[in-house]
Amino acid sequence: LAKTTQPISMDSYEGQEVNITCSHNNIATNDYITWYQQFPSQGPRFIIQGYKTKVTNEVASLFIPADRKSSTLSLPRVSLSDTAVYYCLVGDRGGADGLTFGKGTHLIIQP
Amino acid sequence: GAGVSQSPRYKVAKRGQDVALRCDPISGHVSLFWYQQALGQGPEFLTYFQNEAQLDKSGLPSDRFFAERPEGSVSTLKIQRTQQEDSAVYLCASSSGLAGVRPETQYFGPGTRLLVL
Protein backbone atom coordinates (compact mmCIF):
# COMPACT_ATOMS: atom_id res chain seq x y z
CA LEU A 1 0.00 0.00 0.00
CA ALA A 2 1.28 3.45 -0.89
CA LYS A 3 2.18 5.50 2.16
CA THR A 4 0.80 9.00 2.42
CA THR A 5 2.22 12.07 4.13
CA GLN A 6 0.13 15.11 4.97
CA PRO A 7 0.47 17.97 7.44
CA ILE A 8 -0.65 17.20 10.96
CA SER A 9 -2.57 20.44 11.28
CA MET A 10 -3.52 23.59 9.42
CA ASP A 11 -5.53 26.64 10.26
CA SER A 12 -7.27 29.25 8.20
CA TYR A 13 -10.09 31.77 8.35
CA GLU A 14 -13.65 31.80 7.20
CA GLY A 15 -14.05 32.68 3.55
CA GLN A 16 -10.55 31.61 2.58
CA GLU A 17 -9.61 28.85 0.17
CA VAL A 18 -7.77 26.02 1.89
CA ASN A 19 -5.41 23.65 0.13
CA ILE A 20 -4.23 20.46 1.83
CA THR A 21 -1.44 18.62 0.07
CA CYS A 22 -0.77 14.93 0.40
CA SER A 23 2.43 13.20 -0.73
CA HIS A 24 2.30 9.64 -2.03
CA ASN A 25 5.60 8.99 -3.77
CA ASN A 26 5.05 5.25 -4.11
CA ILE A 27 1.61 5.38 -5.68
CA ALA A 28 0.95 2.42 -7.96
CA THR A 29 -0.51 2.52 -11.44
CA ASN A 30 -3.90 1.20 -10.34
CA ASP A 31 -4.18 3.37 -7.23
CA TYR A 32 -6.80 6.05 -6.79
CA ILE A 33 -6.60 8.99 -4.39
CA THR A 34 -9.51 9.42 -2.02
CA TRP A 35 -10.17 12.00 0.67
CA TYR A 36 -12.37 11.54 3.71
CA GLN A 37 -13.50 14.10 6.28
CA GLN A 38 -14.17 13.36 9.93
CA PHE A 39 -15.95 15.55 12.45
CA PRO A 40 -15.68 14.89 16.20
CA SER A 41 -17.89 12.04 17.38
CA GLN A 42 -18.71 11.01 13.83
CA GLY A 43 -17.38 8.46 11.39
CA PRO A 44 -15.37 9.55 8.35
CA ARG A 45 -17.28 10.79 5.33
CA PHE A 46 -16.22 10.51 1.69
CA ILE A 47 -15.37 13.85 0.09
CA ILE A 48 -13.78 13.23 -3.28
CA GLN A 49 -11.83 10.73 -5.33
CA GLY A 50 -9.62 11.01 -8.39
CA TYR A 51 -7.05 9.27 -10.52
CA LYS A 52 -5.38 12.09 -12.44
CA THR A 53 -5.72 15.76 -13.39
CA LYS A 54 -8.59 17.53 -11.70
CA VAL A 55 -11.84 16.42 -10.15
CA THR A 56 -14.47 18.80 -8.81
CA ASN A 57 -17.70 18.21 -6.96
CA GLU A 58 -20.03 20.36 -4.90
CA VAL A 59 -17.80 20.14 -1.86
CA ALA A 60 -14.19 20.28 -3.05
CA SER A 61 -11.68 20.01 -5.86
CA LEU A 62 -8.86 17.54 -6.13
CA PHE A 63 -5.75 18.38 -8.12
CA ILE A 64 -3.41 15.59 -9.17
CA PRO A 65 -0.25 16.39 -11.14
CA ALA A 66 0.91 14.23 -14.01
CA ASP A 67 3.38 12.23 -11.94
CA ARG A 68 0.64 11.52 -9.36
CA LYS A 69 3.18 11.62 -6.53
CA SER A 70 1.10 14.16 -4.68
CA SER A 71 -2.39 15.54 -4.63
CA THR A 72 -4.06 18.66 -3.28
CA LEU A 73 -7.50 18.88 -1.76
CA SER A 74 -8.94 22.35 -2.26
CA LEU A 75 -11.81 23.63 -0.14
CA PRO A 76 -13.25 26.89 -1.50
CA ARG A 77 -14.45 29.59 0.87
CA VAL A 78 -14.30 27.59 4.07
CA SER A 79 -16.61 28.14 7.00
CA LEU A 80 -16.35 27.25 10.68
CA SER A 81 -18.16 24.01 9.94
CA ASP A 82 -15.26 22.82 7.80
CA THR A 83 -13.20 22.36 10.95
CA ALA A 84 -12.47 18.64 10.86
CA VAL A 85 -9.79 16.03 10.25
CA TYR A 86 -9.09 15.33 6.57
CA TYR A 87 -7.60 12.00 5.51
CA CYS A 88 -5.81 11.28 2.25
CA LEU A 89 -5.95 7.62 1.18
CA VAL A 90 -4.30 5.88 -1.72
CA GLY A 91 -5.32 2.46 -2.99
CA ASP A 92 -6.70 0.43 -5.85
CA ARG A 93 -10.10 -1.17 -6.27
CA GLY A 94 -10.89 -1.52 -2.62
CA GLY A 95 -14.27 -3.12 -2.52
CA ALA A 96 -12.73 -5.97 -0.63
CA ASP A 97 -10.08 -4.04 1.19
CA GLY A 98 -10.19 -2.11 4.38
CA LEU A 99 -9.18 1.50 4.02
CA THR A 100 -5.78 2.56 5.32
CA PHE A 101 -5.98 5.86 7.16
CA GLY A 102 -3.03 7.87 8.38
CA LYS A 103 -3.28 10.46 11.12
CA GLY A 104 -4.89 12.97 8.81
CA THR A 105 -4.76 16.77 8.79
CA HIS A 106 -6.59 18.59 11.53
CA LEU A 107 -7.99 21.70 9.87
CA ILE A 108 -9.10 24.49 12.16
CA ILE A 109 -11.13 27.35 10.74
CA GLN A 110 -11.25 30.55 12.74
CA PRO A 111 -13.77 33.39 12.42
CA GLY B 1 -32.57 3.68 7.78
CA ALA B 2 -30.74 6.08 5.56
CA GLY B 3 -27.29 5.48 6.97
CA VAL B 4 -25.17 3.13 9.03
CA SER B 5 -26.22 2.93 12.64
CA GLN B 6 -24.32 1.58 15.61
CA SER B 7 -25.29 0.74 19.15
CA PRO B 8 -24.62 1.46 21.85
CA ARG B 9 -23.03 4.85 21.20
CA TYR B 10 -21.15 4.66 24.48
CA LYS B 11 -20.12 1.69 26.53
CA VAL B 12 -18.28 1.57 29.82
CA ALA B 13 -16.95 -1.83 30.80
CA LYS B 14 -14.97 -3.12 33.70
CA ARG B 15 -11.72 -4.85 32.82
CA GLY B 16 -12.41 -8.49 32.15
CA GLN B 17 -16.01 -7.95 31.08
CA ASP B 18 -17.29 -9.08 27.68
CA VAL B 19 -18.89 -6.51 25.36
CA ALA B 20 -20.91 -6.71 22.15
CA LEU B 21 -21.14 -3.85 19.67
CA ARG B 22 -23.80 -3.80 17.00
CA CYS B 23 -23.73 -2.41 13.47
CA ASP B 24 -26.70 -1.95 11.14
CA PRO B 25 -25.35 -1.28 7.65
CA ILE B 26 -27.13 0.46 4.83
CA SER B 27 -29.79 -1.87 3.50
CA GLY B 28 -28.56 -3.94 0.58
CA HIS B 29 -24.89 -3.24 1.15
CA VAL B 30 -22.85 -6.35 0.58
CA SER B 31 -19.61 -5.23 2.19
CA LEU B 32 -19.19 -4.45 5.86
CA PHE B 33 -16.06 -3.30 7.67
CA TRP B 34 -15.05 -2.76 11.29
CA TYR B 35 -12.39 -0.25 12.31
CA GLN B 36 -10.82 0.74 15.61
CA GLN B 37 -9.92 4.37 16.22
CA ALA B 38 -7.70 5.35 19.12
CA LEU B 39 -7.73 8.91 20.39
CA GLY B 40 -5.93 11.23 17.99
CA GLN B 41 -5.34 8.52 15.41
CA GLY B 42 -6.95 7.54 12.15
CA PRO B 43 -9.22 4.50 11.99
CA GLU B 44 -7.48 1.14 11.72
CA PHE B 45 -8.99 -1.76 9.83
CA LEU B 46 -10.11 -4.74 11.88
CA THR B 47 -12.16 -7.04 9.68
CA TYR B 48 -14.25 -7.29 6.50
CA PHE B 49 -17.40 -9.19 5.52
CA GLN B 50 -18.86 -9.87 2.13
CA ASN B 51 -22.44 -10.81 2.91
CA GLU B 52 -22.14 -13.35 5.74
CA ALA B 53 -18.61 -14.43 4.88
CA GLN B 54 -15.74 -12.96 6.89
CA LEU B 55 -13.11 -12.63 4.18
CA ASP B 56 -10.46 -10.74 6.09
CA LYS B 57 -9.83 -10.62 9.82
CA SER B 58 -6.20 -9.71 9.63
CA GLY B 59 -6.64 -6.53 11.65
CA LEU B 60 -8.20 -8.09 14.72
CA PRO B 61 -5.65 -7.39 17.47
CA SER B 62 -6.12 -10.61 19.42
CA ASP B 63 -8.25 -13.70 19.69
CA ARG B 64 -10.36 -11.84 22.22
CA PHE B 65 -11.93 -10.00 19.29
CA PHE B 66 -14.61 -11.77 17.32
CA ALA B 67 -16.99 -10.50 14.65
CA GLU B 68 -19.97 -12.07 12.96
CA ARG B 69 -22.60 -11.25 10.37
CA PRO B 70 -24.75 -14.39 10.33
CA GLU B 71 -27.47 -13.26 7.92
CA GLY B 72 -25.42 -10.90 5.82
CA SER B 73 -26.89 -7.72 7.25
CA VAL B 74 -26.45 -6.79 10.93
CA SER B 75 -22.99 -7.39 12.35
CA THR B 76 -21.73 -7.74 15.90
CA LEU B 77 -18.21 -7.14 17.13
CA LYS B 78 -17.55 -8.95 20.38
CA ILE B 79 -14.63 -8.33 22.68
CA GLN B 80 -14.02 -10.86 25.39
CA ARG B 81 -12.23 -10.16 28.65
CA THR B 82 -11.81 -6.48 27.84
CA GLN B 83 -8.53 -4.77 28.66
CA GLN B 84 -7.81 -1.09 29.14
CA GLU B 85 -5.98 -0.97 25.82
CA ASP B 86 -9.26 -1.88 24.11
CA SER B 87 -10.59 1.57 24.94
CA ALA B 88 -11.26 3.23 21.59
CA VAL B 89 -13.99 4.17 19.17
CA TYR B 90 -15.19 1.24 17.10
CA LEU B 91 -16.46 2.25 13.68
CA CYS B 92 -18.53 0.23 11.29
CA ALA B 93 -18.72 0.98 7.58
CA SER B 94 -20.59 -0.53 4.67
CA SER B 95 -20.34 -0.32 0.90
CA SER B 96 -22.35 -1.63 -1.99
CA GLY B 97 -19.82 -4.29 -2.91
CA LEU B 98 -20.31 -3.77 -6.63
CA ALA B 99 -17.33 -4.74 -8.68
CA GLY B 100 -15.42 -1.90 -10.23
CA VAL B 101 -11.98 -0.54 -10.93
CA ARG B 102 -11.99 2.20 -8.37
CA PRO B 103 -12.18 2.01 -4.56
CA GLU B 104 -15.74 2.04 -3.36
CA THR B 105 -17.09 4.72 -1.09
CA GLN B 106 -17.45 3.41 2.42
CA TYR B 107 -20.27 4.80 4.54
CA PHE B 108 -19.42 5.01 8.19
CA GLY B 109 -21.58 4.88 11.26
CA PRO B 110 -21.08 7.25 14.20
CA GLY B 111 -19.09 4.67 16.13
CA THR B 112 -19.27 3.15 19.58
CA ARG B 113 -17.00 4.72 22.15
CA LEU B 114 -15.74 1.99 24.47
CA LEU B 115 -14.11 2.83 27.77
CA VAL B 116 -12.61 0.00 29.77
CA LEU B 117 -11.94 0.81 33.39
Side-chain angles (χ1 to χ4, degrees):
Chain A
L1 293 172
K3 181 179 177 180
T4 61
T5 303
Q6 52 183 123
I8 295 295
S9 65
M10 294 179 64
D11 54 31
S12 186
Y13 295 90
E14 283 191 294
Q16 299 295 306
E17 178 184 79
V18 171
N19 297 309
I20 306 175
T21 297
C22 178
S23 297
H24 28 80
N25 291 318
N26 297 322
I27 190 168
T29 302
N30 295 332
D31 285 344
Y32 283 74
I33 300 150
T34 310
W35 286 79
Y36 279 77
Q37 173 193 54
Q38 186 176 25
F39 297 113
S41 300
Q42 294 186 26
R45 181 178 73 118
F46 172 91
I47 301 177
I48 197 166
Q49 182 181 84
Y51 183 80
K52 62 180 179 181
T53 63
K54 176 183 175 182
V55 179
T56 297
N57 61 22
E58 64 277 7
V59 177
S61 294
L62 179 60
F63 298 92
I64 306 168
D67 66 6
R68 305 200 325 124
K69 293 184 182 298
S70 67
S71 59
T72 299
L73 175 71
S74 181
L75 305 172
R77 297 179 300 281
V78 294
S79 64
L80 296 176
S81 63
D82 291 314
T83 293
V85 179
Y86 293 81
Y87 296 97
C88 167
L89 290 78
V90 173
D92 61 8
R93 181 206 166 279
D97 296 334
L99 299 174
T100 300
F101 291 82
K103 292 187 177 182
T105 296
H106 189 190
L107 175 64
I108 299 173
I109 305 301
Q110 302 181 44
Chain B
V4 177
S5 60
Q6 294 186 244
S7 61
R9 289 295 312 276
Y10 303 92
K11 176 69 178 178
V12 179
K14 292 182 179 179
R15 188 162 54 94
Q17 188 178 0
D18 297 350
V19 298
L21 312 180
R22 177 187 170 107
C23 172
D24 286 79
I26 293 173
S27 178
H29 274 191
V30 168
S31 301
L32 185 145
F33 304 82
W34 283 97
Y35 294 84
Q36 180 190 60
Q37 186 171 25
L39 190 64
Q41 305 295 314
E44 292 193 358
F45 169 77
L46 293 177
T47 188
Y48 158 69
F49 289 87
Q50 185 178 78
N51 295 308
E52 68 280 2
Q54 189 175 19
L55 299 185
D56 187 349
K57 53 182 180 179
S58 61
L60 296 176
S62 78
D63 58 7
R64 296 185 295 104
F65 286 71
F66 172 77
E68 60 184 5
R69 194 186 185 197
E71 297 180 357
S73 55
V74 172
S75 178
T76 304
L77 176 67
K78 298 180 179 178
I79 309 173
Q80 298 176 324
R81 304 180 303 281
T82 53
Q83 304 295 313
Q84 286 186 326
E85 62 262 28
D86 299 336
S87 296
V89 175
Y90 291 86
L91 294 162
C92 175
S94 69
S95 66
S96 63
L98 298 174
V101 297
R102 58 176 58 219
E104 290 187 324
T105 297
Q106 292 189 17
Y107 298 86
F108 284 80
T112 294
R113 184 176 296 276
L114 173 66
L115 177 62
V116 181
L117 303 177

